[in-house]
Amino acid sequence: MMLLALLWLTLLAFVVSAQNASVPNQALVIDPKSFSALKTVPPPSKSNLTTIFLPPGISEDEATSKPFHVYDDAFYDIIGDNPTLTVIASQGINPLYHEAVVWYPPTDEMFFVQNAGATASGTGLNKSNIIQKISLSQAAQYSTQRNASGHVNVTTVNANPTVVNANGGTNYRGQLLFTGEGQGNNTAPSLYVVNPQPPYNTTVLVNNYFGRQFNSLNDVSINPRNGDVYFTDTLYGYLQDFRPPPALPNQVYRFTPTTGAVTVVADGFDLPNGITFSPNGSYAYVTDTGAQYSFYGYNMTAPASIYRFTVEEDGTFSNRKLFTYATPGVPDGIHCDTNGNVYAGLNDGVQVWNPSGTLLGKIFLGTTSANFNFAGKGRMVICAETQLYYATLAAEGAVVASQMPPM
């Protein structure tokens, strides 16, 4: 009997050891049951929209030292056997690493933009933000380090003419497409096509809705099924004091390159923000960051949500559905991988859900990521305002951009 007990204990120890060995070095396993019923739930004044949540027994140091947080076993397939996270650039208080994270495969470079309208950057009304880029092959050289700030060159892209207060971006017909939030009364929010190679010449693609200025264009994505351009229009230029009061509803628009037509496909948002499509283009995901009114503070009961729409064969949206209410902060930039999992930037980093809206895991930064993007398979660049991260993982980003040649 004692021998059988010893054999059982030995087998149990082996199983536990094998399970622990399967957890990657930079991964932290979190059991949702550990916080489903807390001993004490803090009042709203202490735990709310702006509060980063740490499960019981997990310190902030532990959470950041093991940044790949596993909430569901399916997350292992996403991060792989040896995910890594590296800081590749830091910049004091200037939020240089903000949005419009776009991979350009021919040169293997990742483009991104400075925060437009942030007080610390001085951008918005008095000057536009800047577009920047890095070499991914250079970043990959430091993927085994946790902090390689200063070793990767961050290059300013001098688009000509300037993309005024750029925010969102995607690939478009062999070039790059950026949203510009506009500036003051006279520089209208626009969609800009930018040559990703010198001399970075720029062309305005869309800048009005039947002669009316948009409010403040935010994000843009291409539906892979029909090749049309979908973009969000919201209030952040006004809420950051560099655009006039809004004169249109906050809406999602569609631009059809073959006809030049601009149509509205969705409304009813507080502040529509990020937009992306499922791998086959059958679903659209739109984030609503209505709870965050920038210079005007927070409305804790407004949306911090992701909505899913069915994209009909004719390109219109239908069947609006709440995909998830996210926390902490608000879900900003959004992307999908090739398996249809949904990724969004929040106040604690990048969070990942399966197509049914179950949280699978996080790339935990302990700070805000407004946007990020895949660079094909196994690579990701994450913008975290004053820090820029390079991550390696197993997942592959969905191709949601038209790869047609330039018009």
Side-chain angles (χ1 to χ4, degrees):
M1 190 67 150
M2 185 175 292
L3 180 60
L4 286 174
L6 286 172
L7 287 172
W8 169 249
L9 289 173
T10 301
L11 178 61
L12 181 61
F14 175 81
V15 170
V16 171
S17 176
Q19 288 176 338
N20 290 336
S22 67
V23 177
N25 289 334
Q26 291 192 33
L28 179 66
V29 179
I30 296 174
D31 183 0
K33 293 179 181 177
S34 69
F35 59 87
S36 57
L38 296 171
K39 292 182 178 179
T40 303
V41 182
S45 60
K46 293 185 177 181
S47 181
N48 53 51
L49 175 79
T50 66
T51 310
I52 292 178
F53 172 71
L54 292 174
I58 296 176
S59 67
E60 185 175 352
D61 287 343
E62 185 178 11
T64 52
S65 66
K66 295 180 177 293
F68 296 89
H69 293 186
V70 181
Y71 282 77
D72 187 286
D73 285 347
F75 198 52
Y76 289 117
D77 293 332
I78 289 171
I79 62 177
D81 296 332
N82 186 32
T84 64
L85 183 68
T86 306
V87 177
I88 55 174
S90 299
Q91 184 60 46
I93 62 170
N94 188 347
L96 281 173
Y97 320 116
H98 179 60
E99 286 236 31
V101 191
V102 187
W103 177 44
Y104 183 60
T107 58
D108 201 25
E109 294 173 317
M110 190 70 89
F111 291 73
F112 47 90
V113 302
Q114 180 187 28
N115 192 315
T119 303
S121 66
T123 54
L125 187 60
N126 296 319
K127 67 176 182 179
S128 175
N129 64 347
I130 59 173
I131 301 172
Q132 303 153 94
K133 68 177 184 178
I134 59 167
S135 163
L136 287 167
S137 60
Q138 186 183 34
Q141 297 175 25
Y142 302 98
S143 63
T144 59
Q145 301 181 23
R146 290 304 302 271
N147 193 333
S149 181
H151 295 287
V152 176
N153 298 325
V154 180
T155 305
T156 299
V157 174
N158 294 311
N160 184 26
T162 300
V163 177
V164 181
N165 289 322
N167 194 76
T170 190
N171 298 94
Y172 178 73
R173 300 187 172 208
Q175 300 190 76
L176 305 181
L177 181 62
F178 290 97
T179 62
E181 295 189 77
Q183 188 176 60
N185 284 306
N186 299 322
T187 302
S190 305
L191 293 179
Y192 297 83
V193 179
V194 178
N195 183 346
Q197 301 189 65
Y200 305 118
N201 46 295
T202 303
T203 304
V204 172
L205 186 67
V206 176
N207 67 1
N208 73 96
Y209 184 71
F210 294 94
R212 298 168 66 180
Q213 288 191 7
F214 295 108
N215 297 327
S216 184
L217 297 189
N218 193 280
D219 200 10
V220 60
S221 188
I222 315 296
N223 185 287
R225 189 167 61 188
N226 59 29
D228 285 354
V229 179
Y230 294 77
F231 56 97
T232 58
D233 187 36
T234 191
L235 302 183
Y236 281 113
Y238 170 69
L239 297 175
Q240 292 179 297
D241 296 340
F242 65 87
R243 283 285 294 151
L248 282 170
N250 294 323
Q251 301 179 132
V252 179
Y253 293 83
R254 172 193 183 191
F255 170 70
T256 303
T258 55
T259 66
V262 177
T263 56
V264 179
V265 293
D267 65 1
F269 302 94
D270 280 40
L271 295 173
N273 198 311
I275 183 170
T276 198
F277 292 95
S278 61
N280 64 2
S282 60
Y283 293 114
Y285 295 92
V286 181
T287 66
D288 190 336
T289 54
Q292 186 181 54
Y293 259 63
S294 196
F295 292 174
Y296 295 83
Y298 294 91
N299 178 353
M300 302 292 182
T301 62
S305 307
I306 301 172
Y307 295 93
R308 190 184 78 184
F309 297 83
T310 299
V311 182
E312 301 292 347
E313 288 295 328
D314 63 0
T316 57
F317 286 6
S318 65
N319 301 323
R320 175 187 173 112
K321 177 182 179 181
L322 177 65
F323 176 74
T324 190
Y325 174 80
T327 187
V330 292
D332 196 329
I334 186 167
H335 300 283
C336 288
D337 65 21
T338 52
N339 292 320
N341 297 307
V342 180
Y343 300 62
L346 282 114
N347 278 27
D348 59 356
V350 177
Q351 298 188 19
V352 186
W353 299 265
N354 68 11
S356 67
T358 298
L359 179 67
L360 302 181
K362 302 180 180 183
I363 305 175
F364 185 87
L365 308 180
T367 190
T368 299
S369 170
N371 216 330
F372 59 94
N373 209 347
F374 286 95
K377 181 176 176 58
R379 303 180 301 175
M380 179 183 285
V381 171
I382 304 171
C383 283
E385 301 302 314
T386 59
Q387 290 188 306
L388 186 68
Y389 290 84
Y390 176 78
T392 65
L393 66 173
E396 180 177 2
V399 178
V400 296
S402 169
Q403 296 299 318
M404 295 171 61
M407 296 177 66

